[in-house]
């Protein structure tokens, strides 16, 4: 019998233990539980090192949020990413570090916007916490067949959110393409969190020249602050400058 290895990630211990016990009663399911994002990542790393990789991770959408709190709406691509303890951020991290693990988000409420963010982060499903065990098992087995599972009531809203996100990305990409190569490099430094003096040192430019480039970047992107420019750049898929790599060579670089 092929066994399915499931990791339940929820900081509400009673819920996590109850769900794990219910799943473990299935003859083909092995279950472990973790109470936080960092603990989940340690479980995944340990299992991979032992050759017992998890197949599916069930993660609380509100992981790490105070009881009863409604998660703040965060514009896609804006500001710094949420901490590793956040459920959707954990999904995104696992997609990169453990791409073979399918993730399903467990939610207490229907939320098309957050469900769309979860899918964009790499989740294969969004399921109500109070769904039946048979429904959850169907989703677990379905995502292992490369299926995507959403409650029917969320489909229209999620499609609308994904369509809007694609439009915003296309518009943002068009604006970023209007930048010169030097302005694009300055923008990448901004996305990496560098201030004017640090950008100047990295690109071998004067702070005054960098200030001019930054003003040009804001003008071409149609925004009025560095934060807004960084948010737009992230929507367009602009990667931050590699601060760990070598500094930009002076030769061949013109201000």
């Amino acid at each position: 019998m092929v066994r399915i290895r499931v990791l339940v990630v929820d900081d509400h211990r009673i819920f996590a233990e109850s769900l794990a016990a219910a799943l473990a009663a299935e003859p083909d399911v092995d279950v472990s539980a973790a109470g936080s994002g960092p603990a989940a990542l340690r479980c995944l790393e340990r299992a991979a090192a032992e050759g017992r990789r998890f197949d599916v991770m069930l993660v609380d959408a509100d992981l790490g949020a105070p009881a009863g709190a409604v998660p703040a709406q965060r514009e896609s691509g804006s500001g710094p990413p949420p901490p590793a303890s956040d459920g959707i951020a954990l999904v995104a991290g696992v997609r990169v570090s453990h791409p073979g693990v399918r993730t399903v988000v467990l939610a207490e409420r229907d939320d098309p916007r957050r469900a769309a963010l979860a899918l964009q982060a790499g989740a294969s499903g969004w399921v109500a916490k109070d769904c039946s065990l048979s429904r959850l098992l169907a989703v677990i087995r379905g995502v292992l067949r490369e299926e995507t599972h959403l409650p029917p009531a969320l489909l229209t809203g999620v499609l609308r959110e994904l369509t809007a996100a694609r439009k915003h990305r296309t518009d943002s990409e068009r604006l970023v393409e209007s930048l010169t190569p030097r302005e694009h490099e300055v923008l990448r430094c901004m996305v990496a969190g560098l201030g004017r003096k640090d950008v100047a040192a990295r690109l071998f430019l004067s702070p005054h020249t960098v200030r001019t480039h930054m003003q040009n970047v804001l003008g071409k992107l149609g925004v009025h602050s560095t934060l807004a420019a960084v948010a737009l750049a992230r929507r367009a898929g602009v990667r931050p400058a590699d601060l760990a790599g070598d500094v930009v060579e002076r030769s061949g670089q013109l201000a």
Side-chain angles (χ1 to χ4, degrees), residues 2 50-51 81 84 93 97 117 131 143 146 169 181 186 188 215 226 237 249:
V2 177
E50 296 173 353
S97 60
L117 288 174
C131 74
V143 299
E146 306 294 335
R169 180 179 177 89
V186 168
R188 291 186 63 212
Q215 289 175 338
T226 297
E249 294 291 342

Side-chain angles (χ1 to χ4, degrees), residues 65-223:
V70 176
Q73 294 295 321
R74 191 177 70 93
E75 183 181 1
S76 178
S78 66
S85 59
D86 175 88
I88 295 176
L90 177 61
V91 169
V94 169
R95 178 176 64 174
V96 174
S97 60
H98 301 277
V101 178
R102 300 290 179 265
T103 56
V104 176
V105 176
L106 305 177
E108 293 185 355
R109 64 188 68 84
D110 286 346
D111 188 332
R113 191 170 192 281
R114 296 194 76 217
L117 288 174
L119 294 183
Q120 289 174 311
S124 297
W126 176 281
V127 182
K129 275 191 169 185
D130 60 358
C131 74
S132 66
L133 180 61
S134 60
R135 166 63 179 162
L136 183 56
L137 286 167
V139 171
I140 289 172
R141 295 187 169 101
V143 299
L144 289 176
R145 296 191 297 268
E146 306 294 335
E147 298 172 1
T148 299
H149 285 259
L150 286 171
L154 280 183
L155 284 176
T156 300
V158 168
L159 289 174
R160 185 183 303 116
E161 292 289 340
L162 293 176
T163 299
R166 283 195 294 270
K167 181 181 184 301
H168 290 157
R169 180 179 177 89
T170 301
D171 292 343
S172 300
E173 288 173 339
R174 188 178 302 114
L175 291 171
V176 168
E177 288 172 357
S178 70
L179 302 180
T180 66
R182 173 62 84 190
E183 290 165 351
H184 191 274
E185 186 61 30
V186 168
L187 178 59
R188 291 186 63 212
C189 291
M190 294 163 65
V191 173
L194 298 182
R196 190 196 313 167
K197 291 183 179 179
D198 290 331
V199 175
R202 177 180 174 80
L203 301 182
F204 303 105
L205 302 173
S206 70
H208 176 76
T209 299
V210 170
R211 180 182 179 182
T212 299
H213 284 315
M214 286 183 166
Q215 289 175 338
N216 289 341
V217 168
L218 297 184
K220 289 184 178 181
L221 298 185
V223 296

Side-chain angles (χ1 to χ4, degrees), residues 2-6 28-31 55-56 140-141 144:
V2 177
R3 303 187 68 81
I4 303 171
R5 301 204 67 225
V6 178
D28 63 338
V29 178
D30 290 330
V31 189
D55 300 301
V56 178
I140 289 172
R141 295 187 169 101
L144 289 176

Side-chain angles (χ1 to χ4, degrees), residues 17-93:
E17 290 178 352
S18 298
L19 178 57
L23 291 171
E26 295 296 311
D28 63 338
V29 178
D30 290 330
V31 189
S32 296
S36 68
L41 293 174
R42 288 194 296 270
C43 285
L44 292 169
E45 292 292 345
R46 184 166 57 249
E50 296 173 353
R52 301 183 300 109
R53 290 178 173 82
F54 285 96
D55 300 301
V56 178
M57 182 178 73
L58 307 177
V59 57
D60 178 19
D62 300 330
L63 187 67
V70 176
Q73 294 295 321
R74 191 177 70 93
E75 183 181 1
S76 178
S78 66
S85 59
D86 175 88
I88 295 176
L90 177 61
V91 169

Side-chain angles (χ1 to χ4, degrees), residues 9-28:
V9 188
D10 197 301
D11 52 3
H12 295 84
R13 191 178 69 178
I14 294 177
F15 174 84
E17 290 178 352
S18 298
L19 178 57
L23 291 171
E26 295 296 311
D28 63 338

